[in-house]
Amino acid sequence: MIDYNKFISKNVSQLQPSGIRKFFDVANEIQGVISLGVGEPDFVTPWNVRDAAIKSIQKGLTQYTSNSGITELRNLIARYIEQTLNLDYEPKNEIIITVGASEAIDISLRAILNSGDEVLLPEPSYVSYAPCITLAGGIAKSIPSKVEHEFRIQPQDLENAITEKTKAIILPYPNNPTGAIMEKADLEVLVPIIKKHNLIVISDEIYSELTYDTQHCSIATFEDMRERTILINGFSKAFAMTGWRLGYVLAPAPLIYAMLKIHQYVIMCAPTCSQYAAIAALQDGFADNFATVRQMRDEYNMRRNFVVKRLNEIGLKCFEPKGAFYVFPSVKDTGLDGEEFSMRLLEKQKVAVVPGASFGDCGKDYIRISYAYSIKSLDEALARIETFVATLTNNEPKVKID
């Protein structure tokens, strides 16, 4: 009998399965579960976008595109970034269309890392960063963030984490899972440290269009930072296009050239019909000042306010998120950590949330709840959570008055 362990890469063997997927494999086996765990808009991709993809197929536009992506789409993205961030990128050699922002993260890391290079990673943060760093031969080094700082990186924590092996830092803001943002003043104090130590920044801005109360700020907009920033975004969240798997990466030409070599060999190009769909999303967006995106953001904002208020009423202390569509309440006062709370909530009340430890050790006393669901689903799920918490704290759930 073959011992397959001898053939599997050590890097892959050491990877832990996604804590999110592992948990939801369990949840999927239980009837009647309300899931608040998946980071996916509940909005259907707008019809004009779907129609553009259908028409591209009907016209027979089904061949490979340029490795970097359709020229028209890259031109539109350059225009969009210029309009939203006041940054200029050359579509010909500073933009690649990728298979989601996930591929953009992967090729960015593989393009810059040598074995043993360290990448600083704020935590809690998205589950894929650390594994991608490992697979690229690097070492993920966490910078824990705290609720008392609204989960924003503190300059002294950044300075203390840097060693002679540090090559890059990932800035994942707005943040999944906390909903934290980094405002201009927060980024401004990090810039001198990043320059001093000659670091590359990978700025994952996939939730940039979903910020509330303040405008998104990119670190690439600061003086001399565009030249050391790899900016990642995509269509999944703000345009309700998760299944289309379309993202993009913008960076100085030498970095893009390195990434393109990887992209050429392992991907070839992003899906053609998805690119035509994205062209329609941007063209029509420019025509109506991105009204559909703003409508979705307004709906998320209403849900955000509703969920934060209810969680605090229930007794789960909840920091008010400023972006994305997640809340990250503490469950510490219940006497349980996030993992046990999530498992028991699923068992007793059939509500699925994500244990905070899935996003880093400093999240162990938290859970992540996505509010990318209807108010009806959120209301029912929160009522069940209230009932569950009452059994832990010996408090009767509040009677709701409509």
Side-chain angles (χ1 to χ4, degrees), residues 52 68 96 106 109 129 242 258 270 287 339 362:
S68 295
I96 302 174
D106 180 41
L109 290 164
Y129 297 133
T242 51
E339 182 93 20
C362 62

Side-chain angles (χ1 to χ4, degrees), residues 91-394:
K92 183 177 180 180
N93 58 11
E94 292 188 318
I95 301 175
I96 302 174
I97 311 302
T98 59
V99 181
S102 298
E103 189 218 338
I105 293 164
D106 180 41
I107 63 175
S108 297
L109 290 164
R110 285 201 275 169
I112 68 170
L113 293 182
N114 295 311
S115 179
D117 286 342
E118 292 178 350
V119 180
L120 301 182
L121 178 58
E123 288 188 347
S125 63
Y126 180 52
V127 297
S128 290
Y129 297 133
C132 284
I133 293 167
T134 299
L135 290 171
I139 298 170
K141 188 173 182 181
S142 67
I143 306 176
S145 59
K146 300 176 182 178
V147 68
E148 53 262 39
H149 298 139
E150 296 186 332
F151 295 108
R152 304 178 194 220
I153 302 174
Q154 300 303 295
Q156 194 58 54
D157 291 336
L158 171 59
E159 182 71 63
N160 293 341
I162 295 172
T163 73
E164 60 183 19
K165 295 182 179 180
T166 307
K167 191 172 218 177
I169 178 172
I170 294 177
L171 289 182
Y173 296 96
N175 181 267
N176 170 12
T178 64
I181 63 171
M182 293 286 283
E183 296 185 60
K184 183 176 181 180
D186 301 308
L187 294 170
E188 194 168 35
V189 293
L190 302 186
V191 167
I193 302 171
I194 290 167
K195 290 181 180 178
K196 170 186 170 184
H197 295 281
N198 194 28
L199 304 183
I200 287 288
V201 177
I202 298 175
S203 187
D204 184 354
E205 303 181 22
I206 189 66
Y207 293 100
S208 61
E209 290 84 357
L210 301 179
T211 57
Y212 316 102
D213 308 324
T214 188
Q215 188 171 353
H216 172 71
C217 180
S218 172
I219 199 166
T221 60
F222 288 83
E223 185 177 359
D224 299 327
M225 285 303 297
R226 180 194 180 283
E227 67 190 34
R228 62 173 67 248
T229 299
I230 297 171
L231 196 160
I232 293 169
N233 208 322
F235 294 85
S236 292
K237 310 301 182 181
F239 294 90
M241 293 177 65
T242 51
W244 299 81
R245 306 313 302 132
L246 207 69
Y248 52 89
V249 56
L250 308 97
L255 294 175
I256 286 292
Y257 177 67
M259 287 182 251
L260 187 60
K261 287 192 285 185
I262 304 167
H263 177 76
Q264 284 175 334
Y265 288 123
V266 301
I267 296 295
M268 181 67 76
C269 66
T272 302
C273 64
S274 294
Q275 293 191 56
Y276 281 107
I279 288 171
L282 288 175
Q283 284 178 334
D284 293 349
F286 285 122
D288 66 5
N289 195 25
F290 295 95
T292 301
V293 174
R294 287 186 285 108
Q295 288 167 6
M296 284 192 285
R297 183 172 60 229
D298 290 345
E299 175 67 20
Y300 287 136
N301 191 27
M302 183 268 290
R303 298 176 189 179
R304 172 184 71 122
N305 294 330
F306 172 75
V307 172
V308 170
K309 182 174 183 291
R310 286 286 288 123
L311 286 170
N312 283 312
E313 288 173 349
I314 290 167
L316 299 181
K317 295 176 183 177
C318 189
F319 148 79
E320 183 182 42
K322 304 295 184 183
F325 41 58
Y326 308 101
V327 291
F328 203 60
S330 170
V331 298
K332 190 173 183 179
D333 288 348
T334 68
L336 306 178
D337 64 18
E339 182 93 20
E340 189 173 2
F341 183 98
S342 300
M343 290 303 298
R344 288 175 61 176
L345 175 64
L346 180 61
E347 177 188 352
K348 301 295 184 183
Q349 290 294 328
K350 296 186 178 181
V351 176
V353 297
V354 183
S358 300
F359 308 96
D361 291 341
C362 62
K364 70 181 182 65
D365 292 324
Y366 296 82
I367 59 172
R368 189 193 77 174
I369 293 174
S370 169
Y371 51 87
Y373 297 91
S374 70
I375 281 289
K376 181 179 179 182
S377 295
L378 292 169
D379 192 31
E380 172 60 27
L382 287 163
R384 296 186 190 185
I385 291 172
E386 184 172 27
T387 299
F388 174 67
V389 169
T391 67
L392 301 175
T393 59
N394 297 317

